[in-house]
Amino acid sequence: MLSALALVLNYSEPSRHQARWESGTFFSQDSQNEIKSTRRSIVNSDIKVPIAINRYKIPYELIMTRTNQTHQPQFALTVDLAIFTVNYGKLCVLLICRGEDPFSNYWALPGGFVLPEEDVEDAARRELTEETGLDASEMHLEQLGTYGNPKRDPRMRVVSVAHVALVANLDRPVAGGDVSQAKFWPVDSLALGRGDKAERIPLAFDHDTIVTDAIERVRSKLEYTTLATAFVNEPFSLADIRGVYEAVWGKAPDVANFRRKVLSTKGFVLPAGKAGVPGNRGGRPAALYLRGSATHLHPPILRSEINT
Amino acid sequence: MLSALALVLNYSEPSRHQARWESGTFFSQDSQNEIKSTRRSIVNSDIKVPIAINRYKIPYELIMTRTNQTHQPQFALTVDLAIFTVNYGKLCVLLICRGEDPFSNYWALPGGFVLPEEDVEDAARRELTEETGLDASEMHLEQLGTYGNPKRDPRMRVVSVAHVALVANLDRPVAGGDVSQAKFWPVDSLALGRGDKAERIPLAFDHDTIVTDAIERVRSKLEYTTLATAFVNEPFSLADIRGVYEAVWGKAPDVANFRRKVLSTKGFVLPAGKAGVPGNRGGRPAALYLRGSATHLHPPILRSEINT
DNA sequence: AAAATAGTGTCTGTCAGACATTATTTC
DNA sequence: GAAATAATGTCTGACAGACACTATTTT
């Protein structure tokens, strides 16, 4: 049923939503009198499908004819970012401590509003630049999904397009400072899912769901893409990116097999010589590599079924 | 940088967006004077990150304090559906012929508005029921992604959450009728991508992009899930679901290997006896199966690299 | 019997899993 | 030399690709 028709039906029958409709949102009573909706049976090959036609027509026209009148915003559109990095062998996500209600003092994903003339992806990249202070044009950023439950924000209807970003370990250590506002939290210290609330950090809104989905996205991405290299600074050793797999999957691939796979995949990594590393505490120095141009792995590196 | 801050900065510097800001959307000049924004340096372990704090605070408060005043709708939020089926060995997607501008007489994906109190997924499932006339609660429906380019609809800002649905061949053939309004189009007859516009059907808005993404989603889903069974009615033969792979991938998996894979995956299909089929035109009758409870394939059935 | 479709057997090459062994460095 | 880390060698089993062959039905 198309939305305009649904609206009429809702309006003509008593329901818990009626008060909300009457209190004035998109369509006034007058507008609804203008609504005409028809259903047609359509046929494709041998198949009959009842459809609602002109689904775009009525809402759009009403919007366009009423732009000079009073309307409340229907939705707020935001982007939320799950910015991942690997720190000290752990997969971490950047969280911000909220300073006000709701969820005051809860940790939340960074995010912000999509500007009226801004593409959603541009908004996400803008936020990424703001949160990391780095040039986000080179970073991996992808859309995760849209979270639009009407109750996800108690104040108003907020629909959020969640994104996943991967950043290499930031390389400018600075001693001291205020740690309370934002932090890369290891994901295993967060209260995600059902039974593990004890001792773990709860998140604001539905951000536990988003983070859970984002982690699974990252885990599966490592299977069939070369994105592990996005977590490390260049140049890197094979042990570095194997460490990424260990941090993200919780289990490291076999050393020899991993090396075989990475080096036999054209364009996964580019040799960059060998060099003594300052912090070497003993051990043969590793060969170093740069990121290659390949993006996908054929066939993938699969997590073992047991671990899944 | 948080959106509110960006808004202030945009406002204070001459830019091509300035006129638009001034013409009044969410935040009036007065509102902007209320905006206070600070930047802090935060430290995580050894890592210093400049961040913008209180990103939610200002926009939300302004919205909440101004709900009695005049605002224009910022965004329209819709769902679009790419409803796929397999007809006569071809992957098809349901399209609606538009009756009005813009894109009058162009074919477009079915879709509609998300209602003010409705979850995005509920909206998609509602549309799916409307478009197919079937009980959508059993069908496979998943979110594809959100398309929010400001120019995707020439009339106003419309952000659309695209979904992918898979339906079995509808089983009530009806002769004759009006074919002009909606139709399952074979995807190879649509103008998708760059150079193949000639002789193919162009789509409205950015629906060519959405359909392209949706097709790729379906193709990859067949690799690692049991969703091929969602395209066929029960009971089905192994040849039936192999035909789905052929239609979606353009190339059929080897018969013997495919059988081996499907039958060795617990819960992919459930034996349902063997029966003579009415339309049998010669040939040994196939064993029949029902959908199993498994959803994922470990390891996946990979498309050959060449075909990718 | 011929045609058509369903289903089986089996060989081979590739590759992941596993793990033992060698190489090169710091202390 | 001991410890630590990097890198290599190699055996094995699982399985995908390929394709020849058998089985059961309609006409």
Side-chain angles (χ1 to χ4, degrees), chain A residues 32-91:
Chain A
Q32 294 177 28
N33 291 338
E34 300 166 23
I35 294 173
K36 298 164 202 160
S37 180
T38 54
R39 289 190 142 255
R40 299 262 175 95
S41 286
I42 61 95
V43 173
N44 168 42
S45 305
D46 295 340
I47 293 147
K48 183 175 183 179
V49 188
I51 60 147
I53 67 166
N54 291 345
R55 60 194 46 64
Y56 277 118
K57 186 174 186 179
I58 293 140
Y60 276 154
E61 286 186 347
L62 289 180
I63 290 166
M64 298 307 280
T65 59
R66 284 167 194 285
T67 44
N68 296 326
Q69 300 181 25
T70 298
H71 290 289
Q72 296 177 14
Q74 291 287 301
F75 300 92
L77 186 68
T78 63
V79 290
D80 281 324
L81 265 68
I83 305 172
F84 288 102
T85 193
V86 172
N87 268 345
Y88 302 106
K90 282 179 176 281
L91 179 67

Side-chain angles (χ1 to χ4, degrees), chain A residues 1-2 43-44 46 49-50 55-56 60 71 80 88 111 116-118 130-131 143 146 155 157 173 184, chain B residues 1-2 20 46 49 55-56 60 71 80 88 111 116 118 126 130-131 143 146 155 157 173 179 184:
Chain A
M1 189 182 300
L2 78 170
V43 173
N44 168 42
D46 295 340
V49 188
R55 60 194 46 64
Y56 277 118
Y60 276 154
H71 290 289
D80 281 324
Y88 302 106
E117 292 294 324
E118 186 181 43
E130 294 165 11
E131 301 303 337
Q143 194 185 104
T146 295
R155 293 163 298 184
R157 183 77 193 261
F184 275 105
Chain B
M1 190 181 299
L2 78 169
R20 190 164 284 113
D46 296 340
V49 188
R55 60 196 44 65
Y56 277 117
Y60 276 153
H71 290 290
D80 281 324
Y88 302 105
E118 186 181 43
R126 176 172 53 76
E130 294 165 11
E131 301 302 338
Q143 194 185 105
T146 296
R155 294 163 298 185
R157 183 76 193 263
V179 200
F184 275 104

Side-chain angles (χ1 to χ4, degrees), chain A residues 73-80 111-116 118-121 123 126-127 145-148 152 156-163, chain B residues 3 26 56 59-60 63 74-78 120 146-149 157-161:
Chain A
Q74 291 287 301
F75 300 92
L77 186 68
T78 63
V79 290
D80 281 324
F113 284 83
V114 178
L115 302 179
E118 186 181 43
D119 196 346
V120 173
E121 181 175 340
R126 176 172 52 77
E127 289 290 334
T146 295
Y147 295 78
R152 63 184 294 276
M156 64 173 293
R157 183 77 193 261
V158 179
V159 173
S160 184
V161 185
H163 290 72
Chain B
S3 56
F26 246 44
Y56 277 117
Y60 276 153
I63 291 166
Q74 291 287 302
F75 299 93
L77 185 67
T78 63
V120 173
T146 296
Y147 295 78
N149 187 294
R157 183 76 193 263
V158 179
V159 173
S160 184
V161 185

Side-chain angles (χ1 to χ4, degrees), chain A residues 200-264:
Chain A
R200 293 204 165 85
I201 314 282
L203 302 187
F205 305 108
D206 56 356
H207 290 188
D208 55 339
T209 305
I210 298 177
V211 170
T212 301
D213 294 347
I215 292 170
E216 180 51 34
R217 170 71 63 92
V218 174
R219 286 184 174 152
S220 67
K221 275 270 170 180
L222 287 200
E223 291 191 312
Y224 62 93
T225 71
T226 62
L227 276 176
T229 58
F231 280 113
V232 294
N233 287 301
E234 292 178 316
F236 50 83
S237 69
L238 294 186
D240 289 337
I241 52 177
R242 179 167 168 265
V244 169
Y245 276 85
E246 179 167 17
V248 175
W249 284 356
K251 183 187 171 188
D254 178 88
V255 209
N257 305 332
F258 183 75
R259 167 179 306 274
R260 192 167 54 193
K261 179 71 181 182
V262 172
L263 296 181
S264 69

Side-chain angles (χ1 to χ4, degrees), chain B residues 12-192:
Chain B
S12 63
E13 65 187 15
S15 82
R16 58 197 169 95
H17 293 303
Q18 188 164 358
R20 190 164 284 113
W21 290 112
E22 285 171 344
S23 72
T25 45
F26 246 44
F27 307 106
S28 67
Q29 180 67 57
D30 287 342
S31 305
Q32 294 177 26
N33 291 338
E34 301 167 24
I35 294 174
K36 299 166 204 159
S37 180
T38 53
R39 292 190 139 253
R40 300 261 174 95
S41 286
I42 62 97
V43 173
N44 168 43
S45 305
D46 296 340
I47 293 147
K48 182 176 182 179
V49 188
I51 61 146
I53 66 165
N54 290 346
R55 60 196 44 65
Y56 277 117
K57 187 174 186 180
I58 292 143
Y60 276 153
E61 287 187 347
L62 288 179
I63 291 166
M64 298 308 280
T65 59
R66 284 167 194 285
T67 44
N68 296 325
Q69 299 181 28
T70 298
H71 290 290
Q72 296 176 16
Q74 291 287 302
F75 299 93
L77 185 67
T78 63
V79 291
D80 281 324
L81 265 69
I83 305 172
F84 288 102
T85 192
V86 172
N87 268 345
Y88 302 105
K90 281 178 176 282
L91 179 67
C92 300
V93 63
L94 183 65
L95 298 175
I96 313 272
C97 192
R98 290 177 55 78
E100 72 280 355
D101 280 326
F103 295 103
S104 184
N105 294 320
Y106 278 65
W107 293 86
L109 294 172
F113 284 83
V114 178
L115 302 179
E117 291 294 324
E118 186 181 43
D119 196 345
V120 173
E121 180 174 340
D122 293 339
R125 203 164 283 280
R126 176 172 53 76
E127 290 290 334
L128 180 57
T129 305
E130 294 165 11
E131 301 302 338
T132 64
L134 301 174
D135 175 18
S137 63
E138 303 281 307
M139 294 181 189
H140 179 78
L141 175 67
E142 66 179 49
Q143 194 185 105
L144 173 66
T146 296
Y147 295 78
N149 187 294
K151 302 297 179 200
R152 64 184 293 276
D153 189 311
R155 294 163 298 185
M156 65 171 292
R157 183 76 193 263
V158 179
V159 173
S160 184
V161 185
H163 290 73
V164 171
L166 310 182
V167 306
N169 226 316
L170 306 179
D171 60 351
R172 294 239 198 81
V174 173
D178 181 2
V179 200
S180 66
Q181 291 294 337
K183 183 178 172 181
F184 275 104
W185 281 98
V187 298
D188 59 12
S189 62
L190 306 178
L192 307 175

